[in-house]
Amino acid sequence: MNGLVRIVRGRILSFRDDPRLTGASAHRLIEDGAVRIENGEIVAAGDARAILTGAPPDAAIDDWSGKLVMPGFIDAHIHYPQTRVIGSYGAQLLDWLQKYTFVEEQKFADVSHCEAVARFFLDELFRQGTTTACVYCTVHPQSVDAFFAESERRGARMIAGKVMMDCNAPIALADTPQRGYDESKALIARWRGRGRLEYAITPRFAVTSSEAQLEAAGALAREHREAYVQTHLSENFAEIAFVKRQFPWAKTYLDVYARYGLLGPRSLFGHCIHLEESEVVALARSNSIAVFCPTSNLFLGSGLFDKKRLDEASVRVALATDVGGGTSYSMLQTAAEGYKVLQMNGQSWPSLQAFYQMTLGNARALGLQHRIGAIEPGREADLVVLDSRATPAMAHRMESHEGDLAEELFVLMTMGDDRAVRQTYVAGRAVKAG
Ligand code: GUN
Ligand code: ZN
């Protein structure tokens, strides 16, 4: 891409703020717009005519006129070793982990398996328009090396970490407090801040970590303030009961993580469904992030995320697929299921808010809003091109559309999936295969 100017023309849609708070002024749509990209960065965005007039004669021009061009989607919680766990029948969380997930994750002892799955996984994210993700690897450091190496090769902005787990898991998947600490530390040294890569300290969840291991995770978080922390919280009733038995001194599930210093503005807690009031308060006070994983919560029968309660308590929220508990890699489908989950609680989710969440909202949750999540000069050129008439049924539905953006976006999330993603750009390069 060096030296080359690329122009991506289309209907440029980007958020500057949260539409829940600032309404219609939160987004900007340029119907005949264009983005100018140089060296993987957006250098200008505006009216197509102005951008094209200023372009050098040898600029590459990708004309997506009529299609929406948005910032690439961000998935705030996903497991790359679970690409062959997705769609496993009939179990709730703890049984599902034992029966399917822990079996599959053992295969990641083999480096060539890690590499092959990392390639498939990134191909699939890009096909779905996802350009950044917070990724759980397995307990094997080689699973992290393989994932980061492949992400680096593709120039993608990714956050990932080695799962730490030293109890209540098969021997082949268990580390120890010291090994989990040493291996994570070495991975942080090797990968964090290298190009577009960031590290997440990843104690899987309180069920599979001893006190000594959680203490080691807390030490890592103290020693590496620039790293993220990711784990699971209050997803399932049996899980919560297990945690209360394992840590009898803890007043709540979140108390376990709080005791070891694992809360904070870079800490992502997957699920957060069955929270006690004091947990909501602690999440808000610590500026931690609650990650909404709707397809997973429905598929594993876990429960309904209460977004309104968390919004009202000023808890930061992100949106994620949680594949392979989640059933789709598509952030569009994830938003659609999120809408339905909220409907079950008498809550709603306007499409503009959902698209904000998939882009700038998740970027803010990750503290990356100055790099990704918006189409603005200086941001990295991660983009998705969306076609709201991608399938016969969508085209048919759009025949009664009267030009309202919110309605079009709602059709896109309700009926759209990878077929609606016409192209994905990562650092200015077109990357959607097939
Ligand atoms: N809790 C601990 N591990 C997992 C996992 O892999 N998936 C989900 N959904 N929940 C978990
Ligand atoms: Zn998960």
Side-chain angles (χ1 to χ4, degrees):
M1 184 71 221
N2 267 356
L4 181 70
V5 173
R6 181 180 296 278
I7 309 288
V8 177
R9 182 177 188 175
R11 301 166 61 216
I12 310 298
L13 174 62
S14 179
F15 291 86
R16 289 184 161 153
D17 215 334
D18 182 348
R20 182 171 65 85
L21 304 175
T22 58
S25 65
H27 73 272
R28 181 170 75 140
L29 172 66
I30 309 170
E31 276 293 342
D32 186 11
V35 186
R36 175 172 170 150
I37 300 166
E38 290 176 42
N39 300 316
E41 275 200 2
I42 297 169
V43 295
D47 286 330
R49 195 174 315 178
I51 298 280
L52 287 165
T53 307
D58 63 346
I61 297 174
D62 293 0
D63 193 346
W64 296 107
S65 293
K67 308 289 180 287
L68 284 166
V69 176
M70 293 194 65
F73 298 140
I74 300 166
D75 184 341
H77 179 132
I78 186 166
H79 299 255
Y80 106 83
Q82 295 179 13
T83 53
R84 288 185 179 137
V85 175
I86 188 170
S88 293
Y89 176 76
Q92 291 211 346
L93 177 63
L94 298 180
D95 292 336
W96 173 86
L97 283 170
Q98 295 290 347
K99 193 166 164 191
Y100 303 113
T101 307
F102 289 165
V103 176
E104 191 61 29
E105 291 193 5
Q106 293 185 40
K107 298 179 186 160
F108 288 72
D110 172 2
V111 178
S112 60
H113 183 73
C114 299
E115 290 168 348
V117 176
R119 285 195 296 273
F120 168 81
F121 178 81
L122 288 165
D123 281 347
E124 184 59 26
L125 290 192
F126 295 170
R127 272 180 12 83
Q128 302 279 358
T130 297
T131 49
T132 289
C134 299
V135 179
Y136 285 65
C137 302
T138 64
V139 74
H140 314 93
Q142 59 269 37
S143 73
V144 186
D145 285 327
F147 178 73
F148 276 138
E150 191 59 29
S151 301
E152 182 175 59
R153 206 176 65 70
R154 298 174 187 227
R157 179 167 282 287
M158 290 286 159
I159 300 167
K162 171 200 129 74
V163 159
M164 302 170 78
M165 100 175 139
D166 70 342
C167 59
N168 300 315
I171 293 287
L173 284 184
D175 56 12
T176 64
Q178 191 64 47
R179 235 179 72 208
Y181 174 88
D182 290 343
E183 290 175 350
S184 300
K185 198 152 183 90
L187 288 163
I188 293 169
R190 195 169 320 142
W191 294 108
R192 201 214 69 77
R194 179 161 147 180
R196 303 184 77 195
L197 307 177
E198 291 292 338
Y199 195 86
I201 298 157
T202 309
R204 182 175 208 122
F205 65 155
V207 170
T208 49
S209 284
S210 64
E211 295 193 13
Q213 178 157 82
L214 291 170
E215 185 144 357
L220 284 169
R222 270 196 310 284
E223 291 157 12
H224 300 280
R225 300 237 172 241
E226 62 299 339
Y228 293 86
V229 172
Q230 60 180 356
T231 188
H232 298 82
L233 172 69
S234 288
E235 175 176 6
N236 165 288
F237 288 121
E239 170 209 19
I240 296 166
F242 199 109
V243 170
K244 289 196 167 163
R245 281 198 303 278
Q246 189 166 314
F247 304 92
W249 48 263
K251 287 197 283 297
T252 63
Y253 189 160
L254 186 62
D255 216 21
V256 177
Y257 297 137
R259 164 114 166 215
Y260 297 104
L262 294 169
L263 279 56
R266 291 171 86 75
S267 296
L268 298 149
F269 294 96
H271 307 294
C272 296
I273 299 171
H274 309 290
L275 296 176
E276 296 179 34
E277 201 47 39
S278 66
E279 294 177 296
V280 174
V281 171
L283 286 170
R285 285 217 177 116
S286 58
N287 276 320
S288 299
I289 299 114
V291 187
F292 181 19
C293 306
T295 72
S296 170
N297 298 162
L298 293 170
F299 183 73
L300 294 175
S302 302
L304 304 176
F305 185 84
D306 191 343
K307 184 167 182 299
K308 182 161 178 276
R309 179 187 186 202
L310 295 171
D311 284 343
E312 284 175 1
S314 297
V315 175
R316 299 165 69 205
V317 169
L319 178 68
T321 62
D322 190 34
V323 164
T327 52
S328 172
Y329 293 87
S330 166
M331 288 301 287
L332 296 171
Q333 280 301 294
T334 299
E337 298 306 290
Y339 174 84
K340 295 173 199 169
V341 164
L342 298 182
Q343 280 280 65
M344 290 300 293
N345 261 336
Q347 299 173 24
S348 194
W349 207 21
S351 60
L352 283 161
Q353 289 181 30
F355 277 79
Y356 160 78
Q357 190 66 62
M358 292 179 236
T359 57
L360 184 61
N362 274 1
R364 284 178 168 175
L366 301 174
L368 290 172
Q369 66 274 17
H370 302 299
R371 298 190 183 277
I372 55 173
I375 300 180
E376 301 278 352
R379 302 300 203 288
E380 296 162 359
D382 292 347
L383 305 172
V384 59
V385 180
L386 296 170
D387 181 359
S388 48
R389 293 172 175 80
T391 67
M394 290 172 82
H396 178 77
R397 166 65 181 83
M398 287 297 288
E399 278 170 24
S400 73
H401 168 250
E402 299 191 341
D404 175 44
L405 176 66
E407 183 189 349
E408 180 180 1
L409 293 179
F410 195 60
V411 169
L412 256 175
M413 67 188 240
T414 304
M415 301 180 76
D417 50 31
D418 51 316
R419 293 167 298 178
V421 174
R422 293 289 298 272
Q423 189 50 276
T424 304
Y425 293 88
V426 167
R429 276 191 318 114
V431 294
K432 177 161 172 157

